[in-house]
Amino acid sequence: MLAEITFVPSGSSMVIIDHTYVSDEMREKGTGSKLVASVVDEMRQQGKKIMPLCPFAKAEFERHKEYEDVLHKKD
């Protein structure tokens, strides 16, 4: 496997990104960032929020303020 991102539904309006993996040969090519961006795009289309529990995804959300519209905010 070269790369993967997994996310699971949490209720009807949110998903949790729980895992991101990028092989050594795919690192430094922006692969992980592209995986997170693809989930962000998909959830925007579906009108869902994202809780990034995976450390990499969480860091991506911190780096990309433009993802804030799909970030699940704790009350």
Side-chain angles (χ1 to χ4, degrees):
M1 174 183 350
L2 296 176
E4 76 172 349
I5 189 166
T6 60
F7 55 94
V8 294
S10 179
S12 61
S13 62
M14 184 175 70
V15 298
I16 297 169
I17 297 177
D18 59 356
H19 176 72
T20 306
Y21 169 78
V22 178
S23 66
D24 289 341
E25 63 191 276
M26 296 299 289
R27 290 185 190 206
E28 305 301 323
K29 297 180 181 182
T31 303
S33 295
K34 290 175 187 173
L35 289 172
V36 172
S38 70
V39 175
V40 168
D41 289 344
E42 185 177 337
M43 293 307 113
R44 276 187 182 134
Q45 291 175 10
Q46 294 182 25
K48 294 183 179 182
K49 298 289 184 181
I50 300 170
M51 180 184 292
L53 292 185
C54 158
F56 179 81
K58 187 173 184 176
E60 283 294 291
F61 271 77
E62 290 170 3
R63 278 191 283 273
H64 295 274
K65 298 303 178 191
E66 66 270 22
Y67 294 169
E68 215 165 284
D69 64 311
V70 294
L71 179 62
H72 170 74
K73 294 185 172 75
K74 297 174 185 170
D75 296 330

